[in-house]
Amino acid sequence: DQDNVTTKDVPASSSKILMRHSDSEPFDNSFHYKSVIGKLNYLKKTTRSDISYITHQCARFTLDQKKEHRQAVRWLGRYLKATKDKGTILRPQKGKGLELYVDADFSGNWDPKETWDTDTARSRHGYIIQYAGCPIVWKSQMQTEIALSTTESEYIGILYALREAIPIMELLKELKSFKFPIRSSKAKVHCNVFEDNSGAVEIATTHKFRPRTKHINVKYHYFRSYVNRNEISIHPIDTTMQRADNLTKAVKVNNLAEQNFFPRNGSILG
């Protein structure tokens, strides 16, 4: 009975990482998997950024669905049922321009049982772009390059996020030149920095040779000209204030509220 189904407090289980599960039971075709994923993709791109991580994880396995993937989709459905009266409320704030929150999970899908699968070695990053305090773009995606350290995965995350943020900055500058009332065209990039990956901020802001990171291709440094012109400023941020954290991993019960996943004035509200 759908009315009496047990609901969930979070979009996905924080204790189980969704993988290929090659040796598991095949999907029983109890529902149209691809169709459901299509609907979830639409939802997470429009108003429900809280389901971005698990939706993308489920979408990765549409060609070879297993029991675990079915369970993950059902779990997500139960979460959406529990939060069907929620949504993103946008309240623009004066004095706030373009802000970007970036986070990365280094090799979070690693599975020692499936070492043949290079995808398990890939890191995931997520970012939220805000204007006037309101989220306008968000994304959770696997990195195409295989990062060799936490620092590198964080730095790659900054790169991909700025690929979307810089065109928005240029659009804002053009609108400003035509006398549109633009609040600010300067972006502040907030990158989640732990003790062992503070190098991501240093690499992005300080020009010097580092033997351990010389393998990082020059394409990762293309945004430095914006940093040099002070059009982009990069700052470390505490984990508890990192709004993109839940775009990179499943969270524990109640952590959605504790970690402030939705921006303060773009909150999930009833």
Side-chain angles (χ1 to χ4, degrees):
D1 187 347
Q2 293 183 352
D3 293 331
N4 298 322
V5 69
T6 303
T7 56
K8 299 293 184 181
D9 297 322
V10 290
S13 171
S14 60
S15 61
K16 297 179 181 178
I17 298 177
L18 206 59
M19 300 190 179
R20 291 191 187 279
H21 303 289
S22 302
D23 299 328
S24 186
E25 298 176 17
F27 175 52
D28 60 5
N29 293 314
S30 53
F31 57 86
H32 197 297
Y33 193 95
K34 291 183 180 179
S35 176
V36 171
I37 293 299
K39 292 177 173 63
L40 291 173
N41 271 327
Y42 174 79
L43 193 59
K44 62 104 169 174
K45 288 179 180 178
T46 52
T47 60
R48 296 300 297 265
S49 52
D50 53 329
I51 66 171
S52 294
Y53 164 77
I54 189 58
T55 298
H56 185 266
Q57 281 288 75
C58 291
R60 292 176 58 214
F61 308 106
T62 52
L63 296 180
D64 188 18
Q65 308 133 25
K66 300 294 184 179
K67 175 184 67 175
E68 287 79 5
H69 307 139
R70 177 200 68 200
Q71 293 171 342
V73 172
R74 287 187 180 278
W75 179 304
L76 180 51
R78 292 177 177 182
Y79 169 73
L80 290 173
K81 177 178 173 59
T83 57
K84 63 182 180 181
D85 60 338
K86 309 297 180 182
T88 303
I89 308 301
L90 303 180
R91 297 191 181 94
Q93 292 182 349
K94 291 184 178 180
K96 284 216 170 193
L98 203 62
E99 293 180 317
L100 174 55
Y101 290 82
V102 189
D103 191 27
D105 182 28
F106 172 58
S107 195
N109 285 334
W110 173 249
D111 184 0
K113 297 179 181 178
E114 298 192 8
T115 53
W116 57 270
D117 185 3
T118 56
D119 284 347
T120 65
R122 299 187 189 279
S123 301
R124 175 181 289 276
H125 63 251
Y127 55 85
I128 299 176
I129 301 176
Q130 295 183 182
Y131 182 69
C134 298
I136 56 175
V137 177
W138 55 81
K139 196 165 191 178
S140 174
Q141 67 181 142
M142 301 288 287
Q143 296 180 348
T144 55
E145 303 88 345
I146 296 179
L148 302 180
S149 67
T150 305
T151 294
E152 188 174 345
S153 65
E154 293 278 353
Y155 192 64
I156 292 173
I158 295 175
L159 164 75
Y160 278 90
L162 283 173
R163 280 182 175 178
E164 291 216 41
I166 288 176
I168 297 174
M169 290 171 57
E170 296 298 330
L171 175 61
L172 291 174
K173 284 192 285 186
E174 184 175 350
L175 290 172
K176 198 170 186 179
S177 69
F178 285 103
K179 308 302 182 183
F180 280 80
I182 301 302
R183 299 171 187 271
S184 173
S185 59
K186 182 176 180 179
K188 289 186 178 179
V189 181
H190 297 263
C191 180
N192 186 22
V193 180
F194 298 97
E195 183 180 350
D196 63 346
N197 68 16
S198 58
V201 172
E202 183 187 359
I203 293 172
T205 57
T206 307
H207 294 261
K208 72 176 184 180
F209 177 75
R210 303 169 181 81
R212 291 186 179 182
T213 57
K214 67 180 181 179
H215 62 282
I216 298 180
N217 194 287
V218 68
K219 70 178 181 178
Y220 296 143
H221 302 310
Y222 89 101
F223 61 84
R224 273 187 172 172
S225 60
Y226 288 85
V227 176
N228 293 338
R229 295 196 301 267
N230 293 318
E231 292 186 56
I232 294 175
S233 57
I234 301 179
H235 310 276
I237 190 171
D238 188 83
T239 306
T240 59
M241 298 299 293
Q242 178 52 269
R243 296 175 183 178
D245 181 59
N246 297 307
L247 290 170
T248 64
K249 62 184 73 72
V251 298
K252 297 180 180 179
V253 176
N254 297 326
N255 276 19
L256 280 173
E258 292 174 3
Q259 294 189 11
N260 195 23
F261 177 76
F262 287 88
R264 287 184 180 84
N265 69 320
S267 306
I268 254 191
L269 298 173

